């Protein structure tokens, strides 16, 4: 505020005559000190500055946000450095500037004049009392009684933290100012404007100051039978998510993608389950970091915590499904054919979804050309020991029946002396036929076993690709829903 004060002014010139000499004397008057003595001579600092005690002192003030020092989210305490600009009219501090050499305003320490007991209602400063929030700097008093007190203040206030949208959250911290002693009939408070001043705010690395609207309220206390006016400045701050996005969100998404790639890893590698478990443990560590960052509360679940929990559940299901896929892959070792319903579901319908229908169709067509025998699969292990079981001999009444090249001959043992040599030849031919039959059956069973193994492996491949596509879609949808929620449903203040 402008200052136009004269502290020392030449007032008059006098001439003194003494025998033998003449001396000119100048008398200097300190009008500033004289004004203060005249104003504060009978001034009472504890009494409201009105000539009629039934009158109300109107106090108007403004808050200039300068710096956000800290925001302890776990303790829910906000520390701000602000400049307070408080204005009121003191009817006992008026004068005529012409009587004091044109002095229009003076500076007086606040402990020498009446100061409104403006108090921060929700202060949690353990170093100062609520009434000692403001610094004891001098106030400016104008000749018409208008008093302006500009003072810095360290504001330490309680701020209820809502972590629902963490790390894209916004916090609304109220600064409630009002008179602690006087009700509305003694002091009435108003804000200079509908919004606080944020032009001088120093940039903070974690929080952006969006705005600081002001709202005047009058609360009636039935127990006191009095109304107390207050002015609430709501500090609207928005978190900068870059730090959390770079250090938590991005690694989490990458780990989730890496976990989904478990379905792309070949089953023959033998590392599918170990990779899934490793990624699951890594995400659990990241969740501990998130839990250590946000305040412990059961009122709401932060979207980042929900995302981490969902991805951990997803990777747990991934590990479970990987075990099932591995079981399908190696199930052909037992030579059990694929059930018809499973073949139709996986190798036809699911294969169409993941783009493997052409591969499965070629395989199924080859099976039609080389249809494996279930009985051969069951007897493949006993073919080597039962070669002679296929040999057929029939000797009836001394006759040997032999079928060779479509002809049947009967040999009488008694009449022909060369019966033993011919019998040996027949047995040799039958043995060759039995060996050939056993070889064909064994080859048929071996081909059937290989086809069963290939079908189970193809079944596992289709399931792997289907799970890869499904889980990828789930992760993308989950990420979009979670991280676009602050845009779709923005956070609002309930103050």
């Amino acid at each position: 505020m402008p200052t136009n004060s004269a502290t020392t002014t030449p007032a008059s010139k006098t001439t003194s005559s003494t025998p033998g000499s003449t001396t000119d004397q100048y008398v200097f008057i300190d009008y500033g000190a004289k004004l203060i003595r005249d104003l504060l001579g009978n001034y009472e600092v504890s009494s409201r500055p009105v000539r009629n005690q039934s009158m109300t002192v109107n106090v108007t003030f403004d808050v200039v946000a300068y710096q956000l020092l800290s925001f302890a989210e776990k303790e829910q305490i906000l520390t701000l450095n602000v400049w307070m600009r408080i204005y009121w009219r003191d009817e006992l501090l008026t004068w005529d500037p012409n009587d004091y050499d044109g002095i229009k305003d003076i500076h007086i320490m606040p402990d020498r004049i009446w100061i409104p007991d403006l108090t921060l209602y929700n202060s949690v400063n353990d170093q100062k009392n609520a009434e000692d929030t403001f610094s004891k700097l001098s106030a400016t008093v104008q000749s018409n009684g208008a008093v302006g007190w500009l003072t810095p203040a360290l504001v330490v206030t309680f701020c209820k933290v809502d972590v629902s949208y963490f790390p894209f959250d916004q916090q609304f911290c109220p600064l409630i100012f009002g008179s602690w002693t006087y009700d509305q009939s003694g002091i009435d408070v108003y804000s200079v404007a509908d919004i606080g001043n944020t032009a001088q705010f120093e940039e903070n690395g974690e929080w952006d100051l969006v705005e600081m609207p002001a709202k005047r309220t009058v609360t009636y206390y039935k127990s006191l039978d009095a109304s107390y006016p207050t002015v609430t400045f709501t500090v609207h701050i928005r978190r900068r998510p870059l730090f959390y996005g770079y250090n938590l969100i991005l690694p989490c998404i990458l780990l989730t993608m890496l976990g989904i790639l478990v379905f792309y890893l070949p089953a023959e590698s033998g590392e599918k389950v170990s990779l899934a478990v490793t990624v699951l443990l890594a995400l659990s560590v990241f969740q501990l970091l998130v839990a250590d960052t946000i305040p412990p509360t059961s009122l709401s679940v932060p979207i980042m915590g929900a995302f981490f929990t969902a991805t951990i559940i997803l990777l747990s299901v991934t590990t479970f499904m990987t075990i099932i896929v591995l079981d399908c892959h190696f199930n052909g070792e037992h030579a059990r054919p694929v059930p018809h319903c499973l073949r139709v579901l996986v190798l036809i319908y699911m294969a169409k979804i993941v783009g493997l229908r052409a591969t499965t169709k070629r395989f199924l067509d080859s099976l039609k050309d080389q249809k494996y025998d279930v009985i051969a699969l069951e007897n493949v292990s006993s073919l080597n020991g039962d070669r002679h079981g296929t040999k057929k001999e029939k000797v009836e009444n001394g006759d040997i029946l032999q079928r060779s090249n479509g002809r049947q001959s009967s040999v009488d043992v008694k009449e022909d002396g060369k019966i033993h040599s011919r019998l040996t030849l027949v047995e040799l031919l039958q043995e060759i036929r039995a060996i050939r039959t056993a070889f064909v059956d064994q080859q048929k069973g071996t081909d059937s076993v290989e086809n069963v193994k290939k079908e189970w492996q193809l079944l596992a491949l289709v399931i792997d690709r289907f799970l890869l596509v499904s889980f990828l879609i789930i992760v993308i949808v989950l990420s979009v829903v979670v991280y676009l929620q602050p845009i779709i449903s923005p956070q609002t203040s309930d103050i």
Side-chain angles (χ1 to χ4, degrees), residues 445-458:
T446 302
D447 293 342
S448 298
V449 170
E450 290 300 321
N451 289 335
V452 168
K453 289 183 180 180
K454 291 180 181 179
E455 188 171 14
W456 278 110
Q457 291 172 2
L458 185 59

Side-chain angles (χ1 to χ4, degrees), residues 174-187:
L175 306 178
I176 306 174
F177 294 96
S179 173
W180 192 260
T181 306
Y182 298 97
D183 59 11
Q184 191 175 11
S185 62
I187 294 179

Side-chain angles (χ1 to χ4, degrees), residues 169-221:
D169 56 326
Q170 304 178 61
Q171 305 300 331
F172 302 88
C173 304
L175 306 178
I176 306 174
F177 294 96
S179 173
W180 192 260
T181 306
Y182 298 97
D183 59 11
Q184 191 175 11
S185 62
I187 294 179
D188 205 352
V189 293
Y190 300 90
S191 61
V192 174
D194 293 335
I195 191 169
N197 192 324
T198 59
Q200 306 297 325
F201 185 75
E202 294 289 338
E203 187 177 13
N204 186 271
E206 186 177 0
W207 297 94
D208 280 327
L209 179 59
V210 181
E211 60 180 353
M212 196 165 57
K215 180 182 179 181
R216 179 180 179 272
T217 57
V218 179
T219 305
Y220 175 76
Y221 295 92

Side-chain angles (χ1 to χ4, degrees), residues 27-240:
V27 179
F28 294 92
I29 301 175
D30 188 348
Y31 281 103
K34 182 177 184 300
L35 175 59
I36 292 177
R37 287 194 299 268
D38 292 345
L39 290 176
L40 304 180
N42 297 318
Y43 190 88
E44 178 57 49
V45 297
S46 60
S47 176
R48 289 187 309 114
V50 289
R51 300 189 183 278
N52 184 354
Q53 290 299 315
S54 62
M55 298 296 293
T56 301
V57 178
N58 293 322
V59 178
T60 306
F61 68 98
D62 188 18
V63 176
V64 180
Y66 179 67
Q67 187 180 15
L68 194 156
L69 297 179
S70 65
F71 188 20
E73 297 176 62
K74 287 193 173 184
E75 292 78 15
Q76 303 187 87
I77 295 178
L78 175 69
T79 304
L80 277 175
N81 187 2
V82 300
W83 299 341
M84 299 294 300
R85 300 186 294 194
I86 310 172
Y87 308 98
W88 70 95
R89 189 172 184 276
D90 193 324
E91 296 180 359
L92 305 180
L93 298 179
T94 58
W95 69 90
D96 186 357
N98 296 325
D99 295 339
Y100 296 92
D101 197 33
I103 298 177
K104 295 182 179 180
D105 53 66
I106 57 174
H107 296 279
I108 305 176
M109 294 302 293
D111 56 351
R112 301 188 63 184
I113 62 175
W114 182 87
I115 297 292
D117 61 336
L118 202 61
T119 306
L120 180 63
Y121 277 27
N122 55 340
S123 174
V124 291
N125 193 343
D126 56 354
Q127 303 297 326
K128 292 182 179 181
N129 296 326
E131 63 272 12
D132 297 330
T133 301
F134 312 121
S135 301
K136 304 302 181 182
L137 300 179
S138 60
T140 302
V141 183
Q142 296 183 358
S143 59
N144 61 355
V147 182
W149 188 29
L150 282 67
T151 175
L154 187 65
V155 176
V156 183
T157 179
F158 171 78
C159 180
K160 184 179 179 181
V161 178
D162 182 9
V163 296
S164 301
Y165 294 87
F166 177 86
F168 306 99
D169 56 326
Q170 304 178 61
Q171 305 300 331
F172 302 88
C173 304
L175 306 178
I176 306 174
F177 294 96
S179 173
W180 192 260
T181 306
Y182 298 97
D183 59 11
Q184 191 175 11
S185 62
I187 294 179
D188 205 352
V189 293
Y190 300 90
S191 61
V192 174
D194 293 335
I195 191 169
N197 192 324
T198 59
Q200 306 297 325
F201 185 75
E202 294 289 338
E203 187 177 13
N204 186 271
E206 186 177 0
W207 297 94
D208 280 327
L209 179 59
V210 181
E211 60 180 353
M212 196 165 57
K215 180 182 179 181
R216 179 180 179 272
T217 57
V218 179
T219 305
Y220 175 76
Y221 295 92
K222 187 176 181 180
S223 59
L224 301 175
D225 193 22
S227 299
Y228 286 81
T230 58
V231 175
T232 302
F233 287 87
T234 303
V235 181
H236 179 191
I237 55 178
R238 179 173 53 231
R239 191 191 303 272
R240 298 180 179 218

